[in-house]
Amino acid sequence: MKIDIISAVPSLLKSPFEDSILKRAQTKEIVEVNIHNLRDYSTNNQKSIDDYAFGGGAGMVLSIEPIDKCIASLKENTNYDEVIFMTPDGEKLNQKISNQLSLHSNIIVLCGHYKGIDERVRQHLITKEISIGDYVLSGGELAAAVLCDSIIRLIPGVLNDETSALSDSFQDNLLAPPVFTRPANFKNWEVPKILTSGNTKEIEDWRHEKSLEKTTKLRPDLLK
Ligand code: ADE
């Protein structure tokens, strides 16, 4: 899978892709992540990428020209399944959307910034709009990193069997069961006996039961 991220503040996107699972996915060449600096596509001598809003107010607005130029240059070499815009008024991200996006070959993720983006970008260049929650971030970069992490971990080969994404919370609409590690007794706080019994079938049943209990208590909406 190839992910091209377009950003006005690309340095904000560096570290999430340089460590741990996301780094390994790239080293293994399962995913290619390219970060594009919108400023490199500015169409004027001042290298600006934003302008005042027509009609006044609203602060600076990201201009359509550099975005169009950047997307057009990416499309010269690649067919994209989706051109996604990160925005608080987009469709709320959930596991189902991440699962669907993880099946794609190529996606573009555009990060918004400042007060907004020329609406014509959304009307003509974007195929999907995603929010990571009902709150406003200073820009779409952190949201894009969240989206990419949730997608990349689902691509076969990124996680090994033990950490398989199939056992993540929200797969099957259930929260993941609690987990414990050594020591089995710490300050008399004991690990449930069943987990040290070695009985695989009973452990599996216990985990399912705890998943159900936890979901019923914390997120009953998922069970509907
Ligand atoms: N950009 C700013 N806030 C955002 C949010 N909540 N989700 C996605 N992109 C955003």
Side-chain angles (χ1 to χ4, degrees):
M1 179 188 221
K2 184 157 81 105
I3 305 180
D4 286 290
I5 309 178
I6 305 171
S7 162
V9 196
S11 58
L12 278 176
L13 281 158
K14 249 173 87 74
S15 96
F17 295 98
E18 285 181 351
D19 262 302
S20 186
I21 289 167
L22 300 194
K23 180 183 177 181
R24 209 174 56 217
Q26 293 170 89
T27 312
K28 283 175 149 180
E29 295 184 3
I30 297 171
V31 66
E32 178 186 328
V33 179
N34 306 304
I35 298 165
H36 306 275
N37 188 346
L38 198 52
R39 218 165 277 282
D40 294 342
Y41 296 86
S42 171
T43 50
N44 57 49
N45 293 337
Q46 300 77 41
K47 290 270 165 219
S48 71
I49 50 172
D50 57 2
D51 212 331
Y52 295 100
F54 278 127
M60 300 302 271
V61 175
L62 277 183
S63 310
I64 190 167
E65 288 145 301
I67 295 170
D68 179 62
K69 194 172 162 194
C70 181
I71 292 177
S73 90
L74 292 175
K75 283 185 173 171
E76 271 173 24
N77 303 314
T78 308
N79 283 323
Y80 290 94
D81 302 288
E82 297 281 9
V83 182
I84 301 167
F85 177 48
M86 302 310 301
T87 174
D89 55 6
E91 184 180 3
K92 188 104 59 83
L93 182 63
N94 58 32
Q95 194 65 41
K96 188 170 160 216
I97 296 174
S98 298
N99 286 341
Q100 283 164 353
L101 292 175
S102 75
L103 302 174
H104 288 328
S105 306
N106 304 300
I107 58 173
I108 290 176
V109 181
L110 172 65
C111 307
H113 224 258
Y114 309 111
K115 205 62 193 161
I117 193 164
D118 190 312
E119 187 67 16
R120 290 167 293 182
V121 171
R122 302 173 73 161
Q123 290 168 343
H124 301 287
L125 302 175
I126 296 298
T127 61
K128 198 173 189 62
E129 302 186 328
I130 294 182
S131 161
I132 64 161
D134 289 344
Y135 41 84
V136 177
L137 302 166
S138 310
E141 283 75 13
L142 299 181
V146 168
L147 174 70
C148 292
D149 187 313
S150 77
I151 294 172
I152 292 170
R153 58 183 284 103
L154 295 168
I155 303 172
V158 171
L159 300 181
N160 53 34
D161 277 351
E162 257 181 29
T163 52
S164 161
L166 294 176
S167 59
D168 282 351
S169 280
F170 303 109
Q171 297 287 5
D172 299 333
N173 276 349
L174 287 179
L175 299 181
V179 291
F180 300 85
T181 186
R182 287 185 292 184
N185 185 339
F186 176 73
K187 297 183 179 174
N188 266 346
W189 301 333
E190 295 204 18
V191 166
K193 284 270 177 294
I194 184 86
L195 294 179
T196 51
S197 70
N199 187 327
T200 328
K201 170 77 176 78
E202 281 186 14
I203 292 174
E204 205 180 293
D205 289 347
W206 180 89
R207 286 191 169 140
H208 185 66
E209 191 186 309
K210 290 293 158 191
S211 269
L212 268 173
E213 260 177 46
K214 199 168 158 185
T215 313
T216 308
K217 186 165 171 229
L218 302 176
R219 292 293 306 274
D221 56 299
L222 293 175
L223 296 172
K224 280 185 197 128

